[in-house]
């Protein structure tokens, strides 16, 4: 059982990318303020690994950004 | 005091290592750790992929936001838009210190080898050799067993460092100096094992 809120809740770099607050809040409610041990970002961070900016808590990467430099 | 030959006094070694540990943290804003630096250097494909993702996010924040909305709707459906408030400014920038660049980690790893070479060369002790000495051959492994033994030992060191989340420098220097319980335990384990093995070898040799 994990603590109530993710320790990285206030400083997760992904949050700064959201323009619509309700979209951000639903991620926070379902991951950061719930069982955050299943958050892919938290898991990577806990392992001391780098966390890609486009990695979502559900383990998927933000897609649909075609263009040079995105693979 | 002759610093190029023989073993340094304990206090000087401690002073140099503590300066290195604190200096690394001040410069890199990260705890010193060789295995983590080496892991980053070797995982260059992930580094490149992450740099591209970061660049794409910075290049077109609007496209990133659109992609985030689509991903959110795909995960939570229209519930994500329920009670949708007005578009607003993103939250304050995170207060996480950026990681040192990959090239800095590569420099750190390479310079450890260069420093070791320079130290040996300046002391006049440098010599290319394919064994670890007669005593090692007598007590541990020699001849055809040397390389398989070193290979196995290297695998165990790498596996152990990965399992423990760090090596002697990460846990012993950085972790212990910050009184991290896991590091204190890890250091007690590997130093205790080293002391035990040293006594065992001394007993075997006698």
């Amino acid at each position: 059982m994990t603590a109530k809120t993710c320790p990285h809740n206030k400083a997760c770099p992904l949050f700064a990318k959201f323009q619509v607050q309700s979209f951000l809040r639903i991620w926070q409610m379902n991951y950061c303020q719930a069982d955050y041990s299943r958050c892919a970002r938290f898991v990577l961070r806990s392992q001391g690994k780098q966390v890609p900016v486009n990695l979502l808590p559900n383990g998927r990467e933000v897609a649909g950004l075609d263009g040079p430099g995105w693979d | 005091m002759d610093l190029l030959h023989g073993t340094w006094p304990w206090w000087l070694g401690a002073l140099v290592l503590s300066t290195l540990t604190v200096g690394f943290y001040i410069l890199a804003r990260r705890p010193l750790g060789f295995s983590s630096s080496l892991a980053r250097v070797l995982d260059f494909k992930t580094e490149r992929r992450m740099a591209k993702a970061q660049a794409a996010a910075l290049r077109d924040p609007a496209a990133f936001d659109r992609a985030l909305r689509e991903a959110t709707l795909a995960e939570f459906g229209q519930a994500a838009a329920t009670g949708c408030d007005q578009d607003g400014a993103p939250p304050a920038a995170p207060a996480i210190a950026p990681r040192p660049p990959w090239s800095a980690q590569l420099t750190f790893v390479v310079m450890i080898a260069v420093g070791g070479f320079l130290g040996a060369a300046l002391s006049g002790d440098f010599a290319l050799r394919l064994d670890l000495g007669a005593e090692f051959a007598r007590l541990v492994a020699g001849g055809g067993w040397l390389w398989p033994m070193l290979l196995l030992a290297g695998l165990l060191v790498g596996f152990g460092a990965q399992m423990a989340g760090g090596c002697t420098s990460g846990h012993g220097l950085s972790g212990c100096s910050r009184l991290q319980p896991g590091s204190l335990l890890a250091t007690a384990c590997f130093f205790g094992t080293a002391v035990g093995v040293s006594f065992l070898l001394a007993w075997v040799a006698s």
Side-chain angles (χ1 to χ4, degrees):
Chain A
M1 195 69 184
T2 51
K4 197 172 180 182
T5 302
C6 175
H8 310 303
N9 186 40
K10 292 193 185 303
C12 184
L14 180 66
F15 294 172
K17 306 297 180 191
F18 279 89
Q19 300 290 327
V20 180
Q21 297 303 299
S22 65
F23 280 38
L24 166 61
R25 271 204 298 275
I26 199 164
W27 285 106
Q28 290 177 316
M29 282 166 50
N30 283 275
Y31 285 92
C32 317
Q33 293 157 9
D35 182 13
Y36 59 82
S37 64
R38 65 194 180 97
C39 171
R41 300 183 64 86
F42 174 81
V43 170
L44 274 185
R45 186 96 191 267
S46 302
Q47 293 170 347
K49 295 177 180 170
Q50 294 187 90
V51 185
V53 70
N54 62 328
L55 179 68
L56 293 165
N58 60 7
R60 298 194 179 119
E61 293 188 354
V62 177
L65 293 172
D66 297 329
W70 190 276
D71 57 5
Chain B
M1 182 167 42
D2 184 2
L3 295 180
L4 289 180
H5 300 91
T7 306
W8 285 11
W10 64 268
W11 57 266
L12 183 58
L15 188 65
V16 170
L17 287 174
S18 57
T19 303
L20 180 67
T21 305
V22 174
F24 189 93
Y25 186 80
I26 290 173
L27 289 175
R29 306 305 298 168
R30 298 278 169 181
L32 172 73
F34 177 74
S35 58
S36 60
S37 295
L38 183 61
R40 268 194 75 189
V41 168
L42 296 178
D43 197 13
F44 60 91
K45 283 187 178 176
T46 300
E47 288 286 332
R48 182 170 162 271
R49 194 158 159 267
M50 289 187 53
K52 283 187 174 183
Q54 182 69 32
L58 289 174
R59 187 176 56 242
D60 194 349
F64 196 94
D65 179 58
R66 277 196 304 276
L68 272 178
R69 293 185 197 207
E70 288 171 13
T72 306
L73 289 171
E75 177 76 6
F76 302 107
Q78 285 302 317
T82 303
C84 181
D85 52 7
Q86 297 78 23
D87 292 7
I96 297 175
R99 284 194 162 210
W102 181 85
S103 54
Q105 301 282 19
L106 176 65
T107 304
F108 174 63
V109 170
V110 169
M111 291 311 288
I112 287 176
V114 171
F117 168 75
L118 280 178
L122 291 173
S123 68
D125 294 335
F126 180 76
L128 283 175
R129 54 190 299 176
L130 297 176
D131 64 80
L132 293 177
E135 197 69 1
F136 186 87
R138 187 171 73 84
L139 293 174
V140 184
W145 284 105
L146 176 63
W147 294 101
M149 184 66 83
L150 291 180
L151 182 66
L152 177 64
L155 281 173
L156 287 174
V157 169
F159 185 78
Q162 178 67 21
M163 286 288 289
C167 60
T168 47
S169 60
H171 282 306
L173 292 176
S174 300
C176 285
S177 64
R178 293 188 297 153
L179 299 178
Q180 297 287 314
S183 295
L184 293 170
L185 181 62
T187 306
C189 287
F190 60 68
F191 263 116
T193 305
V195 170
V197 170
S198 297
F199 276 114
L200 178 67
L201 289 178
W203 177 71
V204 170
S206 62

